[in-house]
Amino acid sequence: MVVAYGGSIASASRAGYGCIKFRHLDLPDMDAVSAKPAPLVQKTSLNIILAVSAAHLINDLIQFLLPALYPVLKTNYDLDYFQIGLLTLAQQITACVLQPVMGLYGDVRPKPYILAVSLAIVAAGVLLLATANSFPLLVVAAIVLGIGSALFHPEASRVARLASGGRLGLAQSAFQVGGNAGTAIGPLAAALIVLPLGQMSTIWFGLAAVLGIMVLTYVGRWYAAHQREAASRPAVVPLRPALSRNRLIVAFSVIGALLLSKYVYIETFKSYYTFYLIEKFALPVQDAQFFLFLFLGSIAVGTFFGGPVGDRFGRLAVIWGSIVGALPFTLLIPYANLWGTVALTIAVGLILSSAFSAIVVYAQELVPGKVGMVAGFVFGFAFGIGAIGAAVLGALADQIGIVAVFGLCAFLPFLGFLTIFLPKHAELHMKEAVA
């Protein structure tokens, strides 16, 4: 007799608690083991994935308004690089601390309409950012924006997973690419709207937040219906992690190092790339913002392809290729001319960004049944470590110059070699039990 943990096969699959391994038979995750969904259900699921992706675009576009304003704020308030780094830190460290907490709370007590609330808080942050007239008030605005982001990401990631139909990498990539697209549009919004019209112009982006609230209210209704349906099914006992506690500690330590290498590099570019181009190549601010848009746009494209490739070839393959694969390009950037720098940074964005969706899904497979908590940890740690790194490197730039700082950042992808210590696919699943 074959024994599986966690109740019925179909129930465990629908709950998204990972792969249940039997002798001579590996069943794929989630809905892939159940009957093919009816077309209407599949269409609804795709609508939800696109909706949370669109809301992610709105959230991350608004979140980027703060770094987009850095050239204006630096001049208007006579800020140094360290103070700019502190603004990034205030915005991101809030998300770092709150996201795992909110993710864990959502695992225990999911609230379908918390996503709409998160965009309402973001709208309040936009209002504060537009009207702030001192550095302390800018810090407050950054914190409020961070709180809204912290509420949004774990729950939105959970909804994307619930609507995935078993294609976890694709759903996570589609969700994530919305955020990357929003971040990429940020420099264009800065060049066309924020920089010409000034700080007060950011208030108009509050209308985008209102649109996001409407979209997420629709998602909340779907989520509530999904909860009611799930409540009518037999209770499911979550699978126990297949790895020992020490092995999990090692695995999450490595994931933390990989996120450090990726997000310190990306946050440094988001905060200081325009200053790097201005200082090294004497570019106008608006031209530098356009090149930042190209870098961030390449991140959006790379993110989209990373998830499906992970579904096809495995998460570890994508993680290896993404972070280590970016290393030759990052090492060349400090020695390149303007167009060489642009080409190399686009290559780095495409390659480096492909790992994130794979890291999220891989981390969720490490701890079955804790989808929100793990997503909150990954998003929160990524934001937090990126912000801390940006603040530290901003202080260093005040001493040695921003060009020298970018030369040091080139070595961060060396941390990708730590991937060798991550558990292989076979270790992530329950051992078959045979009676």
Side-chain angles (χ1 to χ4, degrees):
M1 180 179 67
V2 181
V3 179
Y5 299 94
S8 69
I9 300 170
S11 297
S13 169
R14 287 190 295 264
Y17 290 121
C19 174
I20 304 173
K21 182 178 286 187
F22 294 83
R23 186 177 294 276
H24 308 305
L25 179 63
D26 285 337
L27 298 180
D29 207 347
M30 292 186 68
D31 292 339
V33 301
S34 61
K36 184 178 180 180
L40 180 60
V41 175
Q42 183 66 21
K43 180 181 178 181
T44 301
S45 297
L46 290 174
N47 286 346
I48 295 303
I49 292 171
L50 291 175
V52 294
S53 180
H56 200 183
L57 185 155
I58 292 170
N59 176 76
D60 284 23
L61 168 61
I62 294 173
Q63 296 293 328
F64 191 79
L65 291 178
L66 179 60
L69 274 171
Y70 284 165
V72 173
L73 300 178
K74 189 175 191 299
T75 301
N76 290 352
Y77 300 100
D78 195 26
L79 304 181
D80 56 31
Y81 285 124
F82 179 61
Q83 287 175 304
I84 290 173
L86 287 179
L87 289 175
T88 300
L89 183 63
Q91 182 181 22
Q92 303 287 31
I93 204 67
T94 305
C96 173
V97 172
L98 288 182
Q99 283 195 78
V101 176
M102 294 308 302
L104 180 59
Y105 179 77
D107 287 331
V108 179
R109 292 176 174 270
K111 302 292 184 183
Y113 294 99
I114 196 70
L115 285 172
V117 173
S118 71
L119 261 291
I121 295 174
V122 169
V126 171
L127 179 62
L128 287 171
L129 179 62
T131 56
N133 57 8
S134 66
F135 178 71
L137 289 178
L138 288 172
V139 172
V140 172
I143 291 173
V144 174
L145 287 170
I147 292 172
S149 183
L151 292 175
F152 174 81
H153 282 96
E155 282 301 299
S157 179
R158 184 202 311 281
V159 169
R161 184 181 178 95
L162 289 173
S164 70
R167 303 177 69 182
L168 302 181
L170 176 63
Q172 191 61 229
S173 285
F175 163 66
Q176 193 61 33
V177 79
N180 292 146
T183 302
I185 294 170
L188 287 183
L192 298 176
I193 300 173
V194 177
L195 293 177
L197 300 180
Q199 180 182 346
M200 191 66 185
S201 66
T202 59
I203 198 169
W204 292 106
F205 290 87
L207 297 176
V210 173
L211 175 61
I213 293 169
M214 296 169 61
V215 170
L216 291 176
T217 300
Y218 161 72
V219 172
R221 287 198 296 269
W222 178 89
Y223 194 0
H226 186 280
Q227 283 185 294
R228 289 192 295 270
E229 182 186 354
S232 67
R233 301 172 187 158
V236 176
V237 179
L239 295 178
R240 295 173 298 175
L243 303 176
S244 67
R245 184 173 180 272
N246 289 339
R247 195 79 174 96
L248 284 173
I249 291 173
V250 171
F252 275 99
S253 297
V254 171
I255 288 173
L258 298 178
L259 292 171
L260 183 153
S261 69
K262 173 180 164 62
Y263 270 89
V264 170
Y265 194 91
I266 289 177
E267 285 298 329
T268 299
F269 263 72
K270 285 170 62 177
S271 296
Y272 307 119
Y273 186 42
T274 53
F275 297 113
Y276 174 81
L277 294 174
I278 292 168
E279 182 174 323
K280 186 171 182 179
F281 302 111
L283 289 183
V285 174
Q286 289 178 310
D287 289 352
Q289 290 282 4
F290 175 73
F291 289 130
L292 177 59
F293 160 73
L294 293 180
F295 171 70
L296 296 174
S298 69
I299 289 177
V301 174
T303 299
F304 177 78
F305 287 105
V309 171
D311 285 339
R312 177 66 179 83
F313 298 103
R315 323 291 177 205
L316 286 180
V318 174
I319 295 170
W320 267 114
S322 172
I323 300 178
V324 176
L327 181 60
F329 301 97
T330 64
L331 292 174
L332 287 173
I333 287 174
Y335 307 100
N337 61 18
L338 173 60
W339 292 107
T341 298
V342 172
L344 289 168
T345 52
I346 289 174
V348 169
L350 287 169
I351 298 170
L352 193 60
S353 62
S354 62
F356 190 72
S357 297
I359 290 174
V360 172
V361 177
Y362 179 87
Q364 289 172 336
E365 291 175 346
L366 289 174
V367 188
K370 299 296 182 183
V371 173
M373 184 192 72
V374 172
F377 163 77
V378 174
F379 281 105
F381 186 84
F383 292 173
I385 199 66
I388 292 171
V392 170
L393 291 174
L396 185 61
D398 287 328
Q399 304 300 318
I400 66 175
I402 199 67
V403 174
V405 164
F406 271 71
L408 294 175
C409 287
F411 295 92
L412 283 171
F414 269 110
L415 291 174
F417 287 103
L418 293 175
T419 304
I420 196 173
F421 296 108
L422 287 177
K424 305 299 185 291
H425 179 269
E427 296 181 68
L428 298 184
H429 305 292
M430 300 291 292
K431 303 294 183 182
E432 65 267 29
V434 180

